[in-house]
Amino acid sequence: MLQTSDKLSASSDSYDDRLMLRPTTKDLAKAAGVSRATVDRVLNGRDGVKKNTVEKVNAAIKELGFTRNIQAANLAKSKRYRFVFALPRSGDEFLQEIIQHIRDGEEAFAQEQIWCDVHQIDENDPHSIASFLGSLDPDIVTGVAIMAPEYPQVRDAIFRLKERGVAALPFIANQTTMDTDWIGIDNKAAGATAAVLLGRFCANKSGSILVIAESMQSRDSLERRLGFDAELCACFPNLTALPSLETYGDKERADKIITNIVRNNPKIVGIYVISSEARVPLTTLEGLPLAPEVVRIAHERTPFTVAALHDGRLDCVIAQNTGHLVRSATRKLKAISDKSITHTQQDRIRVEILMRTNL
């Protein structure tokens, strides 16, 4: 039987052996019958290499199982990354949580030659968003994580940004044409989860569910609503979801429309705040004549929603880890820039269910 030190030694030896067996660019050049300089041009996607030569190098890569050490290559070239998080201007506590995690990660990011900036955009003005994206210089900005509704102007600006060589990544709010490259939870699943929770909590009641959003132009809110409606209609016929109220993040508008619908719907048994910010609508609801047993569910962990869970103003919060969101977006942008891949499971954002008992 091997002692612990023997096991470590054996493990180390096998690791060293694997390192020695890994193919190098010299091996690639020999297998493809080209120079190492040509291999380097192919690996870095530079022009001036004939198509059949590129094919030979790629065939050798596949045959030898060559894996490029991106970090070492970037270190040799002193490559640096500057990523911009384009975030909504009207955000509240959830947005501040994201910005704080970006700031908290500065030291760790800097060790990988990564610097992240935050630029706040007017999410209700697609032309100004497109103008901002169009102003980014590929020589300065390596990639952008974009949290914005899916407007045609924004979609086209993202396409043009990618054509100029800037990595682009939808962040939290997805874009239809970029389903494979984005960071956020499965919003249909999150909405369906809210429906199940409301349905279970209201199992012995019949009535209406008040649904409040900032804007249904945002794809995350739209998909949450789709998932919510599908599950509620299929499994809880005793409950009826009312049309979505859109506050646009404006407190005065929220007070007016929420007050009006509560006064005209006496059979409200549940409330679902579908947007990422719950403070404004829930504050408005506190002053309205609702029964204390009305079930309240919201999205995202913030100081407000945590306090509301503790004191009973909220029954449940459906959340996504903001630190995980920031780290995954940074890794994904770097991978897109390096033309490499990330670990899918590592960057999968899970739908979390928070209650007073598990905070």
Side-chain angles (χ1 to χ4, degrees):
M1 178 181 289
L2 288 174
Q3 298 297 319
T4 302
S5 59
D6 294 330
K7 291 179 181 178
L8 290 173
S9 177
S11 174
S12 176
D13 289 344
S14 60
Y15 178 69
D16 290 341
D17 289 342
R18 289 197 300 272
L19 284 178
M20 292 294 291
L21 291 171
R22 285 176 59 178
T24 65
T25 53
K26 183 178 179 180
D27 298 322
L28 277 185
K30 184 178 180 180
V34 298
S35 68
R36 291 178 69 178
T38 299
V39 168
D40 182 72
R41 284 197 292 272
V42 173
L43 291 175
N44 288 287
R46 299 193 186 99
D47 296 330
V49 184
K50 294 180 180 179
K51 182 180 178 181
N52 66 330
T53 302
V54 173
E55 291 173 352
K56 286 181 181 179
V57 174
N58 287 331
I61 289 172
K62 186 175 181 180
E63 180 184 349
L64 298 178
F66 175 83
T67 303
R68 194 180 182 203
N69 189 332
I70 297 292
Q71 190 169 356
N74 288 342
L75 187 62
K77 294 184 292 185
S78 298
K79 182 174 180 178
R80 297 188 175 192
Y81 305 83
R82 183 189 170 201
F83 299 140
V84 175
F85 282 80
L87 305 176
R89 186 179 300 164
S90 64
D92 194 8
E93 292 185 342
F94 179 61
L95 183 63
Q96 292 307 314
E97 292 283 307
I98 293 171
I99 293 174
Q100 187 58 51
H101 280 291
I102 294 171
R103 300 296 179 231
D104 290 344
E106 285 180 349
E107 184 176 344
F109 295 155
Q111 293 176 2
E112 297 186 60
Q113 300 294 299
I114 295 171
W115 283 264
C116 295
D117 296 324
V118 173
H119 179 88
Q120 292 187 264
I121 55 178
D122 182 350
E123 70 277 20
N124 296 314
D125 185 352
H127 295 286
S128 69
I129 300 172
S131 177
F132 166 68
L133 295 177
S135 71
L136 298 176
D137 186 345
D139 292 330
I140 299 174
V141 177
T142 316
V144 186
I146 308 158
M147 185 177 174
E150 189 178 18
Y151 298 111
Q153 297 89 342
V154 175
R155 177 200 61 210
D156 294 344
I158 290 173
F159 282 144
R160 290 193 292 270
L161 194 66
K162 293 172 70 176
E163 287 173 354
R164 300 204 314 273
V166 178
L169 181 72
F171 183 63
I172 300 176
N174 193 11
Q175 304 282 325
T176 305
T177 55
M178 301 181 73
D179 280 332
T180 56
D181 282 330
W182 80 289
I183 294 296
I185 57 172
D186 181 334
N187 283 301
K188 286 185 179 179
T193 300
V196 170
L197 292 167
L198 273 164
R200 295 290 185 180
F201 287 148
C202 300
N204 299 318
K205 303 175 186 176
S206 294
S208 302
I209 304 296
L210 174 57
V211 181
I212 305 171
E214 280 194 9
S215 171
M216 294 308 292
Q217 290 277 1
S218 180
R219 192 177 174 199
D220 54 343
S221 292
L222 177 61
E223 290 189 343
R224 288 173 189 175
R225 182 71 207 237
L226 290 172
F228 181 81
D229 285 349
E231 190 66 27
L232 200 74
C233 292
C235 302
F236 304 101
N238 56 311
L239 302 175
T240 301
L242 297 172
S244 302
L245 294 184
E246 296 179 282
T247 68
Y248 302 124
D250 182 270
K251 187 180 185 308
E252 185 177 342
R253 174 182 168 83
D255 289 343
K256 182 178 179 179
I257 62 176
I258 293 173
T259 299
N260 182 61
I261 199 166
V262 169
R263 286 177 177 171
N264 287 283
N265 288 274
K267 293 187 177 181
I268 292 176
V269 296
I271 295 165
Y272 176 32
V273 182
I274 206 168
S275 58
S276 299
E277 300 287 357
R279 186 176 63 85
V280 169
L282 287 178
T283 301
T284 297
L285 287 164
E286 288 175 17
L288 298 178
L290 287 166
E293 63 269 18
V294 169
V295 179
R296 295 169 171 85
I297 292 178
H299 278 271
E300 311 312 351
R301 178 174 184 148
T302 67
F304 178 85
T305 56
V306 168
L309 284 172
H310 278 302
D311 62 26
R313 286 174 292 163
L314 270 177
D315 294 282
C316 187
V317 169
I318 299 169
Q320 49 191 324
N321 188 298
T322 47
H324 193 180
L325 284 166
V326 170
R327 292 188 298 273
S328 292
T330 305
R331 281 194 297 265
K332 192 78 171 178
L333 283 171
K334 184 176 183 295
I336 295 171
S337 174
D338 290 336
K339 297 181 175 59
S340 62
I341 59 173
T342 57
H343 299 290
T344 304
Q345 290 302 316
Q346 184 182 27
D347 293 321
R348 180 186 177 193
I349 311 298
R350 299 185 64 84
V351 177
E352 300 178 355
I353 300 172
L354 303 178
M355 304 179 74
R356 177 182 59 81
T357 52
N358 68 345
L359 288 172

